[in-house]
Amino acid sequence: MRNQKLVSVGIKLSHDGSVALFEDNRLVSCHEIEKINNNPRYSEFRLTRGELSDLLRDVGYDWGEVDALVIDGWHTTPFAVTLGGESVPFEVAEYGHLYDVRANPLANKTAFSSYFEREYTSYHHIAGHIFSSYCSSPMAQRGEPSYVLSWDGMSFPQLFHYDRGGKLECLGYLFPMSGFIYTYFAVNFEPYKDYRPNDLSLAGKYMAYIAKGRKQPSLLASFHAIFEKLVAKSGPVTTHDQMLEFERALLLKLVFRAKASGFGDEDILTTFHCFIEEVLVRTLSARLDELDQGPRNLCYAGGCALNIKWNSAIRRHCNLAELWIPPFPNDAGSAIGTVCSELVAKHGYESIDWDVYSGPPIRETDWDSAGWSASDCTLAELARLIHESQQPVIVLNGRAELGPRALGNRSIMAAPTSPEMKTLLNRIKRRESYRPVAPICAEEDAPRFFDPGTPDPYMLYDHRVRPEAVERLPAVCHLDGTARLQTVHERENPQIHALLRHYAKLSGLPILCNTSANDLGTGFFPDVRSVAEWGQVNHIWSDGTLHTRTTDVT
């Protein structure tokens, strides 16, 4: 037993910047920079010494109490961020693009920050993905070993095996394609020709767009043939430079073949998505079949783990005992993951105590409320407003959720019963018309409306809307008949679960539309003022108070 608590702060400096605070192995809070002050999405770390100290003080800690400062690694070092108008460099660990099977993924670098006037430790970026997924998993809670797959934009899908006692074994990569090949391919075709290949918003748009196309078997077979031939010719890839060289050659051949196929861009993009999915499922399943290292558990992280189509294919076809994907598999979880790396490497903690609603609280800010009225509003009254008004309502409830997806606490909610609602929500959020709107459903009722309808609290899998429910849920049914479902258990979010139960009494449906409460290009709204200034809704519900615009905007 410890007589004194260990206080650790983790920082992700580069895009999706964030700061995580732990006491021993308990996550106290994680503040993603984009969610603090209505900052741009994917913001780098930008908290000055004073701002970081204030943030810690707001959750009951003092900067002087911090025992360990841990910083996520990156592919450039020193990595400089602008803090208070000053360019501040940090010596950080490597990225971990491609581990040799003999490498130690927990290798770290110790350095001194003159800006923070203290020493810090930095772990490989991929180590953060590995341990954000394992340490947050049910496997870790049970003390079980697990395979861990990490696949993000700048690395091949790399497989590891973690056993108790800090035993992490690198098992090599599954296949030589980085996550960015998905978007690098997409920008050669409409509607994405004007996008930057590394645009962090593109992968999600592409994943939604494939519902417009059809898989073309002949083109799919050609993609597989090109890939297998080049892999056989090139042999194993062992360095980052070889990674880049191989992927450039592969991409050139795939794009050339696609353009020569005569198929429309919609079908080409859908077929390429299916090609990646088939390679992923086939190689992962085959590798796990070769290995015999305990339970066939799999933890999965990296930006590619946000692709719900691929996740569902893994769950269906890879014969896993259990698949775990955290709600922050992308770089939004890197500050958490880099502290987890430290806890495993130095302190023997292998699991963390955490809650998905550990983001920033609703900010208390003054605002010009002229043109708005305010009144107390129960959850039952909120459900009735949504049902009877058929208008979207911004819901700000407690602390923000971790990760990139709105999970009820920073959401726009609306009735799902009209096809016009999806059009309205996409219009006010300035999103493409083909983008889906997610359903949020009481967990116990999900199997009645969705297939499989299994618990999915973090919106990480694909569910088919059951045929008998399609006409009742037009706003949340995607073009291909699927939905990116979020299920809510009463224990996990009692307020939102109660809202769904109240709405079900009125409508017969324990389901609402749920899309993130943010404007295009910015993080979740941090307060009522930012929503009012956005000006696109008539109703804002914030922790029991309903703000209603007195002059209708719709």
Side-chain angles (χ1 to χ4, degrees), residues 270-398:
T270 300
T271 303
F272 184 74
H273 170 96
C274 294
F275 160 67
I276 299 288
E277 181 179 296
E278 290 183 6
V279 173
L280 172 61
V281 168
R282 185 186 72 236
T283 55
L284 176 59
S285 186
R287 184 66 61 84
L288 294 178
D289 287 344
E290 295 171 2
L291 299 164
D292 183 17
Q293 296 184 232
R296 197 158 162 141
N297 296 326
L298 180 68
C299 299
Y300 182 24
C304 295
L306 290 172
N307 191 305
I308 64 172
K309 305 288 188 182
W310 295 345
N311 296 348
S312 297
I314 290 172
R315 189 165 64 173
R316 283 194 306 269
H317 300 301
C318 291
N319 192 30
L320 299 172
E322 186 168 359
L323 173 61
W324 167 253
I325 304 171
F328 37 77
N330 64 329
D331 285 13
S334 291
I336 294 171
T338 201
V339 173
C340 289
S341 301
E342 175 95 340
L343 294 176
V344 169
K346 295 185 179 180
H347 304 289
Y349 288 116
E350 296 181 303
S351 66
I352 59 172
D353 178 11
W354 65 283
D355 187 292
V356 71
Y357 301 104
S358 297
I362 299 169
R363 193 171 61 177
E364 296 292 335
T365 48
D366 294 329
W367 62 290
D368 181 3
S369 58
W372 291 82
S373 64
S375 60
D376 293 339
C377 181
T378 66
L379 291 168
E381 291 167 336
L382 176 59
R384 183 169 294 280
L385 171 67
I386 292 172
H387 178 60
E388 294 181 352
S389 74
Q390 293 293 301
Q391 292 187 28
V393 177
I394 296 278
V395 174
L396 306 180
N397 178 47

Side-chain angles (χ1 to χ4, degrees), residues 255-272:
V255 170
F256 180 83
R257 177 66 185 88
K259 288 182 177 293
S261 69
F263 293 116
D265 287 7
E266 291 176 357
D267 289 356
I268 288 171
L269 290 170
T270 300
T271 303
F272 184 74

